[in-house]
Amino acid sequence: AKEGSMAQALPLTKLGSLLIKTLAKPLSKRVKHEFSRFDFTKRILISIGQSAHLATSRMQIWSAGYRVKSIKPLEEDKALK
């Protein structure tokens, strides 16, 4: 009896996560657009973008088996994306 309820919960969980992703994308674009209009919040968004770039670059370099010497920062407009 438990296997049937577990099998039913999986598609509902998948559907729920798909719904959240679908709604979050336009919302995040709107927030990013509004925040980038003001200098203070724009700098915060750039900082978040640079941090994400550094983290993903380090993980890619480490996973390839290399040591990280330095990572070039992104241009401001690229960090906002």
Side-chain angles (χ1 to χ4, degrees), residues 46-63:
I46 290 170
S47 176
I48 292 169
Q50 293 289 6
S51 297
H53 167 66
L54 289 173
T56 56
S57 296
R58 283 183 192 278
M59 284 188 255
Q60 287 177 342
I61 293 168
W62 286 338
S63 68

Side-chain angles (χ1 to χ4, degrees), residues 23-64:
L23 296 175
K25 208 166 215 174
L27 181 64
S28 68
K29 282 185 178 184
R30 178 72 180 178
V31 168
K32 185 172 72 171
H33 173 73
E34 292 298 321
F35 269 44
S36 64
R37 291 176 41 202
F38 305 103
D39 192 46
F40 175 73
T41 52
K42 185 177 182 177
R43 281 186 277 141
I44 292 172
L45 288 176
I46 290 170
S47 176
I48 292 169
Q50 293 289 6
S51 297
H53 167 66
L54 289 173
T56 56
S57 296
R58 283 183 192 278
M59 284 188 255
Q60 287 177 342
I61 293 168
W62 286 338
S63 68

Side-chain angles (χ1 to χ4, degrees), residues 3-19:
E3 289 177 19
S5 64
M6 184 67 157
Q8 290 173 342
L10 187 61
L12 289 177
T13 305
K14 232 177 192 178
L15 186 62
S17 67
L18 183 61
L19 179 66

